[in-house]
Amino acid sequence: MPNLTHNHFSEDTLALHAGYTYDTQRTLSVPIYQNTAYSFESLKQAAARFGLEELGNIYSRLTSPTVDILGARLAAIEGGAFGIPTSSGTSAVFYALVNCAQNGNNIVYSNKIYGGTQTLVVHTLKRFGIEARVFDIDNIEETLEKAIDAKTSAIFFESLSNPQTAIADVEKITKIAKKHRIVSICDNTVATAFLHKPFEFGVDISVYSLSKYVNGQGSALGGVVIERPNLNELLKNNPRYAPFNTPDESYHGLVYANLPLPIFCIRIITEWLRNTGATLSAQAAWIILQGLETLGLRIKKHSQNALEVAKFLQSHPKAHNICYPALEGDTYNGLLKKYFKDSLSSGLLSFEAENFEVAQKICDSLELFAIVANIGDSKSLVIHPASTTHSQLSEKELQSAGVTPCTIRLSIGLENPCDIIADLKQALEK
Ligand SMILES: *Cc1c(COP(=O)(O)O)cnc(C)c1O
């Protein structure tokens, strides 16, 4: 892209151009730099790079050109300062959380989130001495502030939750986060920046699974952590964030808060990618860049198709409790109108069958839909959460997560909506 500031372009334009200035061959497509290590001009330069006095590539576990372009492009679309891709959405969520919290801290998380994230915060973080406290996304006033204390170092939620399609009242959350000077982290995987911009509503960190709508074809895993502009102000001299304000012994006594750089993301590289290595590969970054080019078009079409499907299900006697925020009368319709562009709501929707067995039968009877533990593919997908993605949760956790034994989750694809609806009709009536 010509050297213009990104601020003036819309997301559609940024998705095609941001972060890439031609390399020496002037390839129009971003090149895949299939490379592990970088040759230094001198040992002096090598030493400067290792000491962070000069920024530049050292080894591809830390940074590499194709991956960096993806990170810069995603950050530009999101309106962020910096973005670090990771090998999966799960590693992005993990890195964002452990960049805030260490042994002895706690994090506060929304009850309606992705099943894998729930397991990560409740069980895995516990092994690191980090306590996870839940708040009720549908009752923020009475539950969020109560869960916070002097050791709280992150508030985590999803803008549009998978699988419940709950929409967060983001401003209510960020108001409390700001009052207590706690980093707020929003998983924006399902909404994407084309429907929702977390930073416009006071969020500090946006994380993604790129494996879903951003890639869009179920062909690569990836994640990203993006920080908002000027986040350093919140981290600097904040007693909740000691690792940013005390010398890092593993980095010659470096104090991150003294760096004139986006330190949240820099520390993701220097602490987490360097020492635990969940780095995105150049190949996967390139595949995800292909998907990103058409994300704006696709998410709109996913949303239009899903609204048609939701209306069909609403009219069908065998489908109950249709959850789709773009439906008038849906619990989250008001929040959708407030926070989402053009009131579009992605391809994710759920409904309930009569009982557990009928739900399973419907899944097995669908022909066009594939039974897949994924969302955001261009092809329509179906899953029965209680027997699969959410089968590790206790009954109480299931209930809190808004999933019942009868819930069927659909990820509506880009097929002709008449074909999608015909398939659902035959499966419901079988
Ligand atoms: C899939 C998903 C994740 C995890 O991402 P992976 O790329 O599968 O590791 C995290 N958050 C949400 C909302 C997801 O849908």
Side-chain angles (χ1 to χ4, degrees):
M1 160 175 240
N3 235 350
L4 303 168
T5 53
H6 293 153
N7 307 347
H8 308 296
F9 292 103
S10 78
E11 295 86 30
D12 303 286
T13 307
L14 294 170
L16 293 160
H17 296 282
Y20 179 54
T21 39
Y22 296 139
D23 76 347
T24 50
Q25 304 300 325
R26 296 184 64 81
T27 64
L28 187 57
S29 167
V30 174
I32 302 173
Y33 288 91
Q34 189 63 42
N35 173 59
T36 310
Y38 302 83
S39 159
F40 304 113
E41 282 166 14
S42 64
L43 199 56
K44 187 161 169 258
Q45 184 187 49
R49 294 239 175 126
F50 271 81
L52 283 186
E53 288 132 32
E54 178 187 306
L55 294 181
N57 293 318
I58 297 173
Y59 188 68
S60 291
R61 178 166 12 90
L62 310 174
T63 59
S64 70
T66 313
V67 175
D68 293 350
I69 290 163
L70 175 64
R73 190 165 290 183
L74 289 164
I77 297 168
E78 199 82 1
F82 213 82
I84 303 291
T86 58
S87 60
S88 67
T90 302
S91 54
V93 170
F94 179 62
Y95 284 178
L97 288 169
V98 293
N99 212 28
C100 295
Q102 56 180 356
N103 193 334
N105 290 147
N106 64 72
I107 64 117
V108 182
Y109 71 98
S110 155
N111 58 323
K112 292 188 175 171
I113 54 172
Y114 177 66
T117 304
Q118 156 99 14
T119 319
L120 162 67
V121 299
V122 174
H123 300 287
T124 307
L125 289 187
K126 190 156 78 182
R127 301 188 214 286
F128 290 76
I130 299 165
E131 183 196 344
R133 302 175 174 182
V134 70
F135 77 96
D136 184 351
I137 195 81
D138 301 311
N139 191 2
I140 294 166
E141 288 97 337
E142 285 181 33
T143 58
L144 178 54
E145 207 157 16
K146 252 190 211 156
I148 291 171
D149 65 16
K151 294 288 181 191
T152 305
S153 48
I155 298 171
F156 182 92
F157 64 99
E158 294 179 3
S159 46
L160 172 49
S161 81
N162 174 13
Q164 311 85 352
T165 64
I167 291 180
D169 196 332
V170 186
E171 285 179 335
K172 268 192 194 159
I173 297 171
T174 55
K175 195 172 158 218
I176 294 170
K178 280 188 196 323
K179 180 176 156 198
H180 296 273
R181 304 197 70 218
I182 299 169
V183 169
S184 54
I185 304 172
C186 174
D187 183 332
N188 204 30
T189 298
V190 181
T192 81
F194 284 88
L195 302 189
H196 176 70
K197 293 283 200 55
F199 299 145
E200 288 178 5
F201 303 102
V203 168
D204 299 310
I205 301 291
S206 183
V207 296
Y208 277 78
S209 166
L210 304 175
S211 328
K212 312 294 170 56
Y213 285 112
V214 177
N215 166 267
Q217 280 139 32
S219 55
L221 281 176
V224 72
V225 179
I226 303 169
E227 72 176 274
R228 71 162 165 89
N230 306 318
L231 180 65
N232 291 11
E233 292 165 5
L234 174 61
L235 300 172
K236 207 167 174 165
N237 298 323
N238 186 334
R240 295 185 192 274
Y241 303 105
F244 289 93
N245 292 289
T246 47
D248 183 347
E249 282 163 28
S250 78
Y251 238 105
H252 326 296
L254 171 81
V255 178
Y256 289 95
N258 295 338
L259 293 174
L261 299 166
I263 56 176
F264 195 89
C265 280
I266 294 296
R267 187 163 172 261
I268 299 253
I269 300 173
T270 56
E271 176 91 47
W272 303 108
L273 290 179
R274 183 174 69 133
N275 299 333
T276 72
T279 309
L280 189 68
S281 73
Q283 291 274 355
W286 187 85
I287 292 166
I288 292 164
L289 280 166
Q290 309 315 299
L292 184 54
E293 292 199 351
T294 57
L295 176 60
L297 289 171
R298 286 185 290 105
I299 197 76
K300 197 182 256 183
K301 179 68 175 159
H302 279 293
S303 304
Q304 289 164 349
N305 279 3
L307 183 57
E308 283 195 44
V309 169
K311 284 181 177 162
F312 161 75
L313 290 172
Q314 229 176 8
S315 72
H316 200 285
K318 293 209 166 155
H320 311 282
N321 287 336
I322 293 84
C323 294
Y324 190 64
L327 284 176
E328 292 289 335
D330 186 272
T331 314
Y332 299 102
N333 189 249
L335 292 172
L336 182 80
K337 286 179 175 153
K338 177 167 182 194
Y339 291 116
F340 278 53
K341 196 174 166 198
D342 300 330
S343 300
L344 296 175
S345 181
S346 89
L348 192 62
L349 67 91
S350 69
F351 68 99
E352 285 177 19
E354 245 149 88
N355 58 46
F356 186 82
E357 288 75 25
V358 173
Q360 290 186 319
K361 191 174 140 244
I362 292 171
C363 293
D364 280 328
S365 305
L366 286 163
E367 288 165 7
L368 191 59
F369 283 78
I371 302 176
V372 169
N374 192 14
I375 58 162
D377 198 290
S378 47
K379 303 174 183 84
S380 287
L381 315 174
V382 62
I383 201 80
H384 181 226
S387 19
T388 56
T389 52
H390 286 63
S391 59
Q392 313 295 331
L393 303 191
S394 69
E395 202 146 305
K396 190 161 160 263
E397 283 174 326
L398 262 188
Q399 208 172 23
S400 163
V403 173
T404 77
C406 316
T407 303
I408 294 174
R409 183 188 73 188
L410 303 178
S411 173
I412 302 300
L414 302 176
E415 298 94 343
N416 188 302
C418 300
D419 295 333
I420 300 172
I421 288 168
D423 192 34
L424 277 165
K425 188 167 188 304
Q426 67 79 21
L428 285 164
E429 291 167 12
K430 206 158 191 163

